[in-house]
């Protein structure tokens, strides 16, 4: 099974390298105030991919921290001795 997984990874890597080699033509990104940046298409695509991954990770930080606080609270609650029973109930 590991060999199959590594084989698929190798095929995907080779396809991505071939895609990068075919898209090495320069493109111009035009910004406001007549600013422009000229770079190879593959670098522009990689930059936007990396920025999207970064924004996705930043969006998950709040949820991750909230879950860690909840786990810590439940752990403390589980470690605490049980409260004594109330008489008459």
């Amino acid at each position: 099974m590991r060999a199959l997984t590594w084989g698929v990874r190798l095929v995907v890597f080779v396809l991505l390298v071939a895609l990068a080699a075919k898209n090495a033509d320069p493109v111009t990104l035009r910004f406001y105030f007549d600013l422009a940046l000229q770079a190879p298409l593959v670098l522009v695509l990689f930059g936007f991919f990396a920025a999207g991954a970064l924004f996705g990770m930043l969006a998950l930080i709040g949820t991750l921290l909230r879950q860690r606080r909840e786990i810590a609270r439940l752990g403390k609650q589980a470690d605490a001795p049980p409260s004594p029973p109330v008489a008459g109930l």
Side-chain angles (χ1 to χ4, degrees), residues 1-88:
M1 188 66 178
R2 284 187 177 187
L4 179 64
T5 303
W6 279 104
V8 170
R9 288 178 182 174
L10 180 64
V11 168
V12 170
F13 177 75
V14 168
L15 288 175
L16 289 175
V17 168
L19 178 73
K22 292 297 256 180
N23 291 297
D25 296 334
V27 294
T28 303
L29 294 175
R30 289 175 174 60
F31 301 102
Y32 295 107
F33 308 112
D34 292 331
L35 294 175
L37 173 71
Q38 194 168 18
L41 177 60
V42 67
L43 290 181
V44 173
L45 289 174
F46 178 72
F48 278 101
F49 174 78
L54 179 66
F55 286 136
M57 288 188 297
L58 289 175
L60 288 175
I61 285 178
T63 303
L64 180 66
L65 293 176
R66 185 171 53 248
Q67 287 176 348
R68 284 189 180 194
R69 283 194 308 266
E70 180 73 12
I71 289 169
R73 185 185 63 79
L74 290 173
K76 287 178 185 176
Q77 191 177 27
D79 291 340
S83 59
V86 178

